[in-house]
Amino acid sequence: MPGTAPTSETTKKPRRGPVLEVLKALLAEGRTEEVVALVARLVSRNSELERLLQDAKTKGKKSEGVSTTQLKLLLGGLPANSDGDVAEVDARLRRSSGIDEEPPQKEQARPKRTRPARRPIPTNLRRVENVIPVPAQQRPCPRCGEVRKCVGHEVTEVIDLIPAEVIVRQDKREKLACHLCEAEVVRAPLGEKVVSGGRMGARLVAQLLVEKYYDGLPLSRQVERFERLGLEVALSTLADQVAWATEALRPVWRAAMSKVLGATVMHLDATSLPVLDSKNAKGIRLGAIWGYVGADVKDCGTQHTALCLYNSTGKREGQREGR
């Protein structure tokens, strides 16, 4: 109204300056309502800055907004007033703003497990038919009772294993004779065996070599495996088969030796190897096993040939000069 003196509320100008300085000045003057209004604006501004910060994080940008932790430090650092107004205002402000409430923990999304792609069954495996008939109680027709006839098969491929089996191969060698002149009778050749007078086939002996030298399966464990298959065989018998097979493969390992010795670059190393010997006083005999690798540089690249030789010398050095 005209003529009315201006009040203190209208004459006071808004304070300017740092937030902490303004708060301290207002508290010193006892103007708690303005403190509440100022802090409320800070909380509102802080919420807005946190939203902008979240948006900046999603866009890969930085933000310099005031965090909730910084606002807690600000409120905790305000000086307390003797009349308790500041403490009351602080408590009300904290309850209304929810600044002391812990944010809900977001459950971490578990990564989805991707099933490995099922590979097709190799085409090189032999297919064996396994006909599964319909049970006898389901073969009659439920309407007329007539026995139903087969109209086809649903084929499902399943990878399975046929267990190994030790067999006795009966070699029936065909004999031919001339009925007109009764001349000399001719017979088919012998079946495959490592030794002509032996009793084990070439396939079995080849399996011995592969499992011993490639798969690392000792002959003693192969004896146990044969026993589970129904064949009792002595360890010495298998050792003889390996020795005879090695002799039969002499042309192969001699060709490998020539290839290594004639290589452009040859790497070799040796180590002593004691072996059992009942004739020796100590029951062992000292030998040396040599490892060779020959490298030849060809137009198609470097070709390597590996060779291992065992030499039972009885000594650490050669028995002859220059050996």
Side-chain angles (χ1 to χ4, degrees), residues 128-274:
V128 178
E129 290 188 356
N130 179 33
V131 180
I132 304 177
V134 175
Q137 61 271 20
Q138 298 180 8
R139 301 184 75 88
C141 177
R143 179 176 300 179
C144 64
E146 185 70 16
V147 177
R148 289 179 280 197
K149 297 182 179 180
C150 180
V151 295
H153 294 85
E154 288 188 4
V155 180
T156 303
E157 290 193 335
V158 180
I159 302 176
D160 209 340
L161 178 68
I162 298 178
E165 181 183 4
V166 179
I167 63 172
V168 178
R169 192 186 73 205
Q170 293 182 340
D171 292 341
K172 294 186 176 181
R173 303 167 58 193
E174 184 183 18
K175 297 188 296 183
L176 300 179
C178 180
H179 294 283
L180 295 179
C181 62
E182 297 182 357
E184 181 179 354
V185 177
V186 63
R187 290 181 297 182
L190 294 171
E192 294 182 349
K193 292 188 293 184
V194 177
V195 182
S196 58
R199 301 177 60 185
M200 292 191 176
R203 293 182 180 179
L204 188 147
V205 178
Q207 189 70 18
L208 286 178
L209 297 179
V210 171
E211 292 185 352
K212 176 176 173 58
Y213 296 106
Y214 192 82
D215 297 335
L217 188 63
L219 293 180
S220 57
R221 294 178 61 183
Q222 296 195 47
V223 169
E224 299 175 358
R225 184 172 62 87
F226 281 122
E227 289 179 354
R228 292 194 300 268
L229 295 175
L231 174 65
E232 293 185 3
V233 58
L235 177 62
S236 58
T237 301
L238 298 186
D240 291 340
Q241 294 294 328
V242 172
W244 293 335
T246 305
E247 186 65 25
L249 293 173
R250 177 183 289 269
V252 177
W253 59 261
R254 289 190 68 88
M257 185 186 301
S258 301
K259 186 73 173 177
V260 170
L261 295 177
T264 307
V265 180
M266 182 173 61
H267 310 270
L268 66 153
D269 194 8
T271 182
S272 59
L273 183 68

Side-chain angles (χ1 to χ4, degrees), residues 271-277 280 282-289 310-317 319:
T271 182
S272 59
L273 183 68
V275 294
L276 298 177
D277 186 4
N280 196 300
K282 296 182 179 180
I284 59 174
R285 181 176 72 252
L286 184 64
I289 185 167
Y310 173 76
N311 186 18
S312 176
T313 61
K315 300 180 180 179
R316 293 184 179 274
E317 297 127 3
Q319 292 180 341

Side-chain angles (χ1 to χ4, degrees), residues 115-123 125 127 157 159:
R115 292 186 177 182
R118 177 176 291 186
R119 298 180 180 180
I121 298 178
T123 57
L125 296 180
R127 265 58 179 175
E157 290 193 335
I159 302 176

